[in-house]
Amino acid sequence: GVCETKWFDPAEEDLIARRARWRIVFGTLSLVVGVLGFCVQGSGSEMGAFGDVFWKMGGFEVPPPPPVVTWGILLQFAVLAVLGVMLIVGSAMILRQNPKGRSVLLAWVAGRLVMVVVSIAFAVVTIKPHVAWQVEIVSAIRERMRQDPSVKPENLPPIPDRDAAEAQALRTVAIFSLFFATWPFVMAIVLTRPHVREEGVSWRTGGTTPVA
């Protein structure tokens, strides 16, 4: 028989290697984002829903948040917790070259973007009771500080203007919504690239990633 030698183009091999790096870089970053996001959102939700408890631990008697705010935050966190687990699991699957990892992450992208919209709507609907609660907190802190003879009147925190506080809260929501939507958009772009889809197919067949 005749032995045939297959010659590989170095540029083609380099392209394959560079394209394969997305799994390590993207999977690792997504895993870190998932773990950190789960922790940050958990602590933020706890402070938002049970903020009065923490203030009371510091010696300040403040009213609890309005029920609509408390339950809204808790429901959002319940959904975000599930999405956080999906992101962590999907990222780990990508790192292990599990073909289902891409599907899990694409589902997370869709769910996370929907939650960004839901969070904006929730913030707009509850902006007035939430700001009113913040004003009550400041009033309670002022009253507590007023009882301390060592605190001068000019050092008391000012009562926030409600209109200005509502406008600032909406700006903050817009900034954070843009921030939370950034990574899902990046993931959507990466996961829908042709060579990434082709690599997922190669994981199913146990082959190598073709070059587009």
Side-chain angles (χ1 to χ4, degrees):
V2 179
C3 295
E4 294 183 359
T5 302
K6 185 175 181 180
W7 296 94
F8 290 94
D9 183 355
E12 181 177 314
E13 288 183 314
D14 180 63
L15 178 60
I16 293 175
R18 284 189 289 108
R19 286 183 168 180
R21 291 193 197 110
W22 77 270
R23 178 178 60 85
I24 302 299
V25 175
F26 183 72
T28 302
L29 287 176
S30 296
L31 189 61
V32 172
V33 169
V35 173
L36 292 180
F38 191 92
C39 296
V40 171
Q41 289 171 350
S43 59
S45 298
E46 187 178 25
M47 287 294 296
F50 308 107
D52 58 312
V53 176
F54 293 97
W55 281 110
K56 290 176 181 177
M57 291 172 61
F60 296 95
E61 289 294 329
V62 301
V68 65
V69 173
T70 299
W71 286 108
I73 291 175
L74 292 177
L75 287 174
Q76 286 186 84
F77 176 69
V79 176
L80 291 174
V82 174
L83 290 173
V85 172
M86 288 176 61
L87 178 57
I88 294 171
V89 172
S91 302
M93 294 172 75
I94 286 290
L95 289 170
R96 295 175 61 86
Q97 295 183 311
N98 187 319
K100 294 182 180 179
R102 179 174 172 273
S103 298
V104 173
L105 290 181
L106 283 173
W108 179 86
V109 168
R112 193 64 186 87
L113 291 177
V114 168
M115 283 306 299
V116 169
V117 177
V118 170
S119 297
I120 294 174
F122 172 76
V124 172
V125 170
T126 62
I127 189 70
K128 290 187 179 298
H130 193 273
V131 168
W133 177 54
Q134 295 295 328
V135 172
E136 291 180 357
I137 290 177
V138 175
S139 300
I141 294 174
R142 280 176 58 91
E143 184 60 30
R144 175 70 173 78
M145 294 177 66
R146 199 193 306 274
Q147 298 173 6
D148 188 344
S150 64
V151 178
K152 297 180 180 180
E154 59 269 21
N155 292 332
L156 294 174
I159 300 295
D161 178 79
R162 296 201 179 194
D163 291 337
E166 289 178 9
Q168 179 59 44
L170 290 176
R171 285 193 294 269
T172 302
V173 169
I175 293 172
F176 275 93
S177 297
L178 180 62
F179 174 77
F180 287 125
T182 299
W183 190 246
F185 272 119
V186 171
M187 292 178 67
I189 293 172
V190 172
L191 292 172
T192 55
R193 296 184 69 180
H195 74 86
V196 172
R197 292 198 302 267
E198 292 168 355
E199 186 167 345
V201 173
S202 75
W203 294 345
R204 291 190 183 94
T205 61
T208 58
T209 306
V211 178

